[in-house]
Amino acid sequence: MSENSFDVVIIGGGPGGYVAAIRAAQLGLKTACIEKRGALGGTCLNVGCIPSKALLAASHAYEAASHDYAAFGVKIGKVEMDVAGMQSHKDKVVADNTKGIEFLFKKNKVTYLIGAGEITGAGTVKVTGKDGEQVVTAKAIIIATGSDVTPLPGVEIDEEVIVSSTGALKLNKIPKTMVVIGGGVIGLELGTVWRRLGTKVTVVEFLDKILPTNDGEVSKTMQKLLAKQGMEFKLGTKVTKAVKKGGHATLTVEPAAGGASEEIKADVVLVAIGRKPYTDGLGLENVGIEKDVRGFIKVDHYFRTNVAGVFAIGDVIGGAMLAHKAEEEGVALAELLAGEHGHVNYDAIPGVVYTWPEVAAVGKTEEQLKAEGIAYNVGKFPFSANGRARSMNETEGFVKVLADAATDRVLGAHIVGPNAGDLLAEMVMAMEFGASSEDVARTCHSHPGLAEAVKEACLAANKRAIHT
Ligand code: FAD
Ligand code: NAI
């Protein structure tokens, strides 16, 4: 095989692409990964999951030191926030993580090609980098080019006054006021960061609830808890216009169903109404790769596009636009290409919102089960009845488990509470193993532990709760 020919060439070095590259190389395939950003890790590591969690951790620490430690008898003087310090923490975390992937590429002998990849023909990709062009050939091409911000007509993003998530991660001073358009995951996470630092945050959501894809009880509970923290909500409301003047913006909003409009002024406006597939400059038209009406690349069960030898994974094929979903697809596809039997269980993909309390969910919501006519039992347990949560002053929220009424198989789990994202893992595993809620209920959990709330919810689903 010549230097420029590979078994697998992957376009995009995000969680889908870089994980596929490492797994393919581990399985003995000669692999290259093309990335144009200048750093590996994609949206997630550079402008998504990791920097947002770094800011959430820093702002959580500030809020806890300002308001929560006194209740434990910890006395501190005046607490101050150094935004530059917070941003350098974030930048260091991002840099360390992206360099970590470069190390993993070297360790696994993945060729890292820096530049923009364009599919020019069957099995051929042109890479345009700062030093010019080169052509590589591959038996299999994997498209893992991810997604980009969905724009809102009339509200033009300048990444200073009107920002996307990328701009909201980089603000170098604390705005007095912020309007977040979209009460989804990005809006609530990044709105929370700045609300904790003192910004008055108003969330404008088109639908009549925040986190619209979550279980209804979870959405309602989170709205109540976030409102108690000081976030304001304008639900069932649409933004029709944004005018920028003198370093702030004036938004015109009106009821989604139509009616009288009003104006809201804000120092910063965050547009967070979803993300769209990113395929610019990829050359899909050169080989005739099909997309659906929303622009997602169409693939079959084995991640095959309509063109032989071209595959796609991650955000660019749609479904849950989550890093771990892209990673699972990367591993599964690499294994399929190596002749193994990789697969992804889409019924057991967790989703976590890293507000505080956190929101974590897997499987069906009550609304979905009702719509599908599936009979189910509900087991619920509040953190206010959990000894560990009480000792931590973290009593808000609950664990809710949904189990099939006939078989007791776990169909869904929804947690609002401290470390909900980590607590959910055992319910994801339960679903992966086809466990019943009684299986979890009969598993010994260490005491005192937050995970006992998960066990108790499963006990409740079997009408044998001990602590409620
Ligand atoms: P991406 O990560 O988007 O990577 C695609 C890469 O391809 C990019 O680096 C891009 O530069 C490159 N590329 C594109 N075209 C070309 C080309 N022609 N040539 C070369 N390179 C190209 N998900 C979670 O699971 N948990 C979270 O906490 C979370 N937080 C998020 C916070 C924010 C603010 C945002 C915006 C997203 C968040 N996500 C989170 C979503 C997560 O980032 C994505 O689901 C994930 O990054 C998708 O991975 P991917 O590999 O499909 O694509
Ligand atoms: P989202 O889909 O989570 O939320 C968008 C929200 O905007 C929805 O509530 C929607 O009803 C609302 N909306 C749509 N159009 C609107 C309009 N014109 N006016 C007002 N509201 C409108 O999308 P978001 O928050 O932008 O996140 C994008 C993606 O990134 C998501 O798919 C998410 O999975 C991923 N992500 C994941 C995170 C995590 O796992 N913790 C964190 C951040 C992002």
Short mmCIF file of all heavy atoms in Angstrom, two decimals, residues 52-53 152 181-187 189 204-207 209-212 237-239 271-275 320-322 324 351-354, ligand 2:
data_model
loop_
_atom_site.label_atom_id
_atom_site.label_comp_id
_atom_site.label_asym_id
_atom_site.label_seq_id
_atom_site.Cartn_x
_atom_site.Cartn_y
_atom_site.Cartn_z
N SER A 52 -17.94 23.82 27.91
CA SER A 52 -19.15 24.20 28.65
C SER A 52 -19.13 23.60 30.06
O SER A 52 -19.52 24.24 31.03
CB SER A 52 -20.43 23.80 27.89
OG SER A 52 -20.50 22.41 27.69
N LYS A 53 -18.60 22.37 30.17
CA LYS A 53 -18.54 21.76 31.52
C LYS A 53 -17.47 22.44 32.38
O LYS A 53 -17.62 22.52 33.60
CB LYS A 53 -18.29 20.26 31.42
CG LYS A 53 -19.57 19.46 31.38
CD LYS A 53 -20.27 19.50 30.06
CE LYS A 53 -21.61 20.06 29.95
NZ LYS A 53 -22.14 20.09 28.59
N LEU A 152 -31.13 31.71 13.20
CA LEU A 152 -32.51 32.17 13.35
C LEU A 152 -32.69 33.40 12.46
O LEU A 152 -32.05 34.44 12.71
CB LEU A 152 -32.77 32.51 14.83
CG LEU A 152 -34.18 33.01 15.18
CD1 LEU A 152 -35.25 32.00 14.78
CD2 LEU A 152 -34.27 33.30 16.68
N ILE A 181 -32.40 32.44 23.48
CA ILE A 181 -33.48 32.00 22.60
C ILE A 181 -33.38 30.48 22.46
O ILE A 181 -32.42 29.97 21.89
CB ILE A 181 -33.42 32.68 21.21
CG1 ILE A 181 -33.32 34.20 21.38
CG2 ILE A 181 -34.65 32.31 20.37
CD1 ILE A 181 -33.17 34.96 20.05
N GLY A 182 -34.36 29.77 23.04
CA GLY A 182 -34.33 28.30 23.02
C GLY A 182 -34.10 27.74 24.42
O GLY A 182 -33.03 27.93 24.99
N GLY A 183 -35.12 27.08 24.95
CA GLY A 183 -35.02 26.49 26.31
C GLY A 183 -34.63 25.04 26.24
O GLY A 183 -35.21 24.19 26.93
N GLY A 184 -33.64 24.72 25.40
CA GLY A 184 -33.13 23.34 25.30
C GLY A 184 -31.86 23.20 26.12
O GLY A 184 -31.60 23.97 27.05
N VAL A 185 -31.04 22.23 25.74
CA VAL A 185 -29.86 21.87 26.55
C VAL A 185 -28.83 23.00 26.60
O VAL A 185 -28.36 23.40 27.67
CB VAL A 185 -29.18 20.60 25.98
CG1 VAL A 185 -28.26 20.00 27.01
CG2 VAL A 185 -30.21 19.60 25.54
N ILE A 186 -28.48 23.55 25.43
CA ILE A 186 -27.46 24.60 25.41
C ILE A 186 -27.95 25.83 26.16
O ILE A 186 -27.24 26.40 26.99
CB ILE A 186 -27.09 24.98 23.94
CG1 ILE A 186 -26.34 23.83 23.28
CG2 ILE A 186 -26.26 26.27 23.91
CD1 ILE A 186 -25.87 24.10 21.87
N GLY A 187 -29.19 26.23 25.88
CA GLY A 187 -29.74 27.44 26.53
C GLY A 187 -29.71 27.34 28.04
O GLY A 187 -29.29 28.27 28.73
N GLU A 189 -27.89 25.15 29.97
CA GLU A 189 -26.53 24.99 30.53
C GLU A 189 -25.78 26.33 30.51
O GLU A 189 -25.26 26.78 31.54
CB GLU A 189 -25.74 23.94 29.75
CG GLU A 189 -26.18 22.51 30.04
CD GLU A 189 -25.25 21.46 29.42
OE1 GLU A 189 -24.25 21.84 28.77
OE2 GLU A 189 -25.53 20.25 29.58
N VAL A 204 -36.32 32.60 26.26
CA VAL A 204 -37.50 32.71 25.38
C VAL A 204 -37.62 31.38 24.63
O VAL A 204 -36.72 31.01 23.87
CB VAL A 204 -37.34 33.87 24.37
CG1 VAL A 204 -38.53 33.92 23.42
CG2 VAL A 204 -37.16 35.19 25.10
N GLU A 205 -38.70 30.66 24.86
CA GLU A 205 -38.88 29.33 24.25
C GLU A 205 -40.16 29.33 23.43
O GLU A 205 -41.21 29.78 23.88
CB GLU A 205 -38.91 28.26 25.36
CG GLU A 205 -39.44 26.90 24.97
CD GLU A 205 -38.66 26.19 23.85
OE1 GLU A 205 -37.43 26.10 23.91
OE2 GLU A 205 -39.34 25.70 22.91
N PHE A 206 -40.05 28.82 22.22
CA PHE A 206 -41.18 28.78 21.29
C PHE A 206 -42.31 27.88 21.81
O PHE A 206 -43.49 28.23 21.72
CB PHE A 206 -40.68 28.27 19.94
CG PHE A 206 -41.70 28.33 18.85
CD1 PHE A 206 -41.96 29.51 18.18
CD2 PHE A 206 -42.42 27.20 18.49
CE1 PHE A 206 -42.92 29.58 17.18
CE2 PHE A 206 -43.37 27.24 17.49
CZ PHE A 206 -43.63 28.44 16.83
N LEU A 207 -41.95 26.73 22.36
CA LEU A 207 -42.97 25.79 22.83
C LEU A 207 -43.47 26.19 24.23
O LEU A 207 -42.94 27.13 24.83
CB LEU A 207 -42.41 24.36 22.85
CG LEU A 207 -41.98 23.84 21.47
CD1 LEU A 207 -41.34 22.47 21.59
CD2 LEU A 207 -43.16 23.77 20.50
N LYS A 209 -43.08 24.58 26.96
CA LYS A 209 -42.27 24.00 28.04
C LYS A 209 -40.80 24.01 27.67
O LYS A 209 -40.46 24.01 26.48
CB LYS A 209 -42.73 22.58 28.36
CG LYS A 209 -42.73 21.66 27.18
CD LYS A 209 -43.21 20.29 27.60
CE LYS A 209 -43.41 19.39 26.42
NZ LYS A 209 -43.87 18.08 26.76
N ILE A 210 -39.95 24.01 28.70
CA ILE A 210 -38.51 23.89 28.44
C ILE A 210 -38.19 22.40 28.30
O ILE A 210 -39.02 21.55 28.64
CB ILE A 210 -37.65 24.57 29.54
CG1 ILE A 210 -37.91 23.93 30.91
CG2 ILE A 210 -37.91 26.06 29.56
CD1 ILE A 210 -36.90 24.31 31.98
N LEU A 211 -37.00 22.09 27.84
CA LEU A 211 -36.56 20.69 27.64
C LEU A 211 -37.71 19.85 27.06
O LEU A 211 -38.14 18.86 27.67
CB LEU A 211 -36.07 20.09 28.96
CG LEU A 211 -34.87 20.77 29.60
CD1 LEU A 211 -34.55 20.15 30.96
CD2 LEU A 211 -33.64 20.70 28.69
N PRO A 212 -38.22 20.26 25.89
CA PRO A 212 -39.45 19.65 25.38
C PRO A 212 -39.37 18.16 25.08
O PRO A 212 -40.41 17.50 25.05
CB PRO A 212 -39.76 20.45 24.11
CG PRO A 212 -38.49 21.13 23.75
CD PRO A 212 -37.73 21.34 25.01
N THR A 237 -43.36 31.62 23.13
CA THR A 237 -43.01 32.97 22.64
C THR A 237 -42.01 32.86 21.51
O THR A 237 -41.09 32.04 21.56
CB THR A 237 -42.37 33.78 23.80
OG1 THR A 237 -43.31 33.82 24.88
CG2 THR A 237 -42.04 35.21 23.37
N LYS A 238 -42.20 33.72 20.49
CA LYS A 238 -41.21 33.70 19.39
C LYS A 238 -40.56 35.08 19.24
O LYS A 238 -41.18 36.11 19.56
CB LYS A 238 -41.84 33.24 18.09
CG LYS A 238 -42.91 34.13 17.52
CD LYS A 238 -43.46 33.52 16.22
CE LYS A 238 -44.66 34.34 15.75
NZ LYS A 238 -45.46 33.68 14.75
N VAL A 239 -39.31 35.04 18.77
CA VAL A 239 -38.56 36.28 18.50
C VAL A 239 -38.76 36.61 17.03
O VAL A 239 -38.52 35.77 16.17
CB VAL A 239 -37.07 36.07 18.80
CG1 VAL A 239 -36.26 37.31 18.46
CG2 VAL A 239 -36.86 35.67 20.26
N VAL A 271 -28.34 32.57 20.85
CA VAL A 271 -29.24 31.81 19.97
C VAL A 271 -28.92 30.32 20.15
O VAL A 271 -27.82 29.87 19.85
CB VAL A 271 -29.06 32.22 18.49
CG1 VAL A 271 -29.98 31.41 17.59
CG2 VAL A 271 -29.30 33.72 18.31
N ALA A 272 -29.88 29.56 20.68
CA ALA A 272 -29.65 28.12 20.95
C ALA A 272 -30.92 27.36 20.61
O ALA A 272 -31.62 26.84 21.48
CB ALA A 272 -29.26 27.92 22.41
N ILE A 273 -31.21 27.32 19.31
CA ILE A 273 -32.47 26.69 18.87
C ILE A 273 -32.21 25.36 18.15
O ILE A 273 -33.04 24.88 17.40
CB ILE A 273 -33.28 27.64 17.96
CG1 ILE A 273 -32.48 28.03 16.71
CG2 ILE A 273 -33.71 28.89 18.72
CD1 ILE A 273 -33.34 28.64 15.61
N GLY A 274 -31.05 24.78 18.37
CA GLY A 274 -30.74 23.47 17.78
C GLY A 274 -29.52 23.55 16.88
O GLY A 274 -28.92 24.61 16.71
N ARG A 275 -29.13 22.39 16.36
CA ARG A 275 -27.97 22.33 15.47
C ARG A 275 -28.34 21.61 14.19
O ARG A 275 -29.28 20.82 14.16
CB ARG A 275 -26.78 21.62 16.18
CG ARG A 275 -26.25 22.48 17.33
CD ARG A 275 -25.12 21.82 18.08
NE ARG A 275 -23.95 21.56 17.28
CZ ARG A 275 -22.99 22.46 17.00
NH1 ARG A 275 -23.08 23.69 17.46
NH2 ARG A 275 -21.94 22.12 16.28
N ALA A 320 -29.88 11.38 18.06
CA ALA A 320 -29.43 12.16 19.20
C ALA A 320 -28.09 12.81 18.84
O ALA A 320 -27.15 12.11 18.48
CB ALA A 320 -29.26 11.26 20.42
N MET A 321 -28.03 14.14 18.91
CA MET A 321 -26.77 14.82 18.54
C MET A 321 -25.90 14.92 19.78
O MET A 321 -25.75 15.99 20.38
CB MET A 321 -27.08 16.17 17.90
CG MET A 321 -27.75 15.99 16.54
SD MET A 321 -28.38 17.50 15.86
CE MET A 321 -27.08 17.96 14.73
N LEU A 322 -25.35 13.77 20.15
CA LEU A 322 -24.58 13.66 21.40
C LEU A 322 -23.24 13.00 21.11
O LEU A 322 -23.14 12.10 20.26
CB LEU A 322 -25.36 12.83 22.42
CG LEU A 322 -26.67 13.44 22.89
CD1 LEU A 322 -27.45 12.45 23.73
CD2 LEU A 322 -26.43 14.73 23.68
N HIS A 324 -21.44 10.90 22.91
CA HIS A 324 -21.30 9.46 23.17
C HIS A 324 -22.04 8.63 22.13
O HIS A 324 -21.66 7.50 21.85
CB HIS A 324 -21.75 9.11 24.59
CG HIS A 324 -23.00 9.80 25.03
ND1 HIS A 324 -23.00 11.08 25.51
CD2 HIS A 324 -24.28 9.41 25.03
CE1 HIS A 324 -24.25 11.43 25.83
NE2 HIS A 324 -25.04 10.42 25.52
N GLY A 351 -29.05 10.77 28.01
CA GLY A 351 -28.93 12.21 27.72
C GLY A 351 -28.88 12.96 29.05
O GLY A 351 -29.71 12.70 29.94
N VAL A 352 -27.92 13.85 29.19
CA VAL A 352 -27.75 14.55 30.47
C VAL A 352 -27.70 16.06 30.24
O VAL A 352 -27.07 16.52 29.30
CB VAL A 352 -26.44 14.10 31.17
CG1 VAL A 352 -26.21 14.86 32.47
CG2 VAL A 352 -26.46 12.60 31.43
N VAL A 353 -28.39 16.80 31.09
CA VAL A 353 -28.30 18.27 31.08
C VAL A 353 -27.52 18.64 32.34
O VAL A 353 -27.96 18.33 33.45
CB VAL A 353 -29.70 18.92 31.08
CG1 VAL A 353 -29.57 20.43 30.88
CG2 VAL A 353 -30.61 18.30 30.03
N TYR A 354 -26.39 19.35 32.14
CA TYR A 354 -25.48 19.58 33.27
C TYR A 354 -25.76 20.88 34.02
O TYR A 354 -24.85 21.61 34.36
CB TYR A 354 -24.03 19.51 32.79
CG TYR A 354 -23.67 18.12 32.30
CD1 TYR A 354 -23.91 17.73 30.99
CD2 TYR A 354 -23.12 17.19 33.18
CE1 TYR A 354 -23.59 16.46 30.54
CE2 TYR A 354 -22.80 15.90 32.74
CZ TYR A 354 -23.05 15.55 31.42
OH TYR A 354 -22.75 14.28 31.00
P1 NAI B 2 -32.14 21.70 21.61
O1 NAI B 2 -32.81 20.96 20.52
O2 NAI B 2 -31.76 20.99 22.85
O3 NAI B 2 -33.08 22.89 22.10
C1 NAI B 2 -33.55 23.89 21.22
C2 NAI B 2 -34.74 24.56 21.87
O4 NAI B 2 -35.05 25.70 21.11
C3 NAI B 2 -35.99 23.67 21.90
O5 NAI B 2 -36.56 23.74 23.18
C4 NAI B 2 -36.88 24.29 20.83
O6 NAI B 2 -38.25 24.12 21.09
C5 NAI B 2 -36.46 25.74 20.90
N1 NAI B 2 -36.68 26.51 19.69
C6 NAI B 2 -36.56 26.11 18.40
N2 NAI B 2 -36.80 27.15 17.56
C7 NAI B 2 -37.08 28.23 18.35
C8 NAI B 2 -37.37 29.60 18.09
N3 NAI B 2 -37.43 30.06 16.85
N4 NAI B 2 -37.59 30.43 19.13
C9 NAI B 2 -37.51 29.97 20.42
N5 NAI B 2 -37.23 28.69 20.72
C10 NAI B 2 -37.00 27.83 19.70
O7 NAI B 2 -30.90 22.42 20.92
P2 NAI B 2 -29.67 23.19 21.55
O8 NAI B 2 -29.93 23.53 22.96
O9 NAI B 2 -29.33 24.26 20.59
O10 NAI B 2 -28.54 22.08 21.49
C11 NAI B 2 -28.12 21.53 20.23
C12 NAI B 2 -27.66 20.12 20.36
O11 NAI B 2 -26.46 20.03 21.11
C13 NAI B 2 -28.69 19.24 21.02
O12 NAI B 2 -29.08 18.26 20.09
C14 NAI B 2 -28.03 18.63 22.19
O13 NAI B 2 -28.23 17.26 22.20
C15 NAI B 2 -26.55 18.95 22.02
N6 NAI B 2 -26.06 19.36 23.34
C16 NAI B 2 -25.97 18.42 24.31
C17 NAI B 2 -25.58 18.76 25.58
C18 NAI B 2 -25.52 17.72 26.63
O14 NAI B 2 -25.58 16.55 26.29
N7 NAI B 2 -25.39 18.08 27.90
C19 NAI B 2 -25.22 20.13 25.93
C20 NAI B 2 -25.41 21.06 24.84
C21 NAI B 2 -25.78 20.65 23.59
#
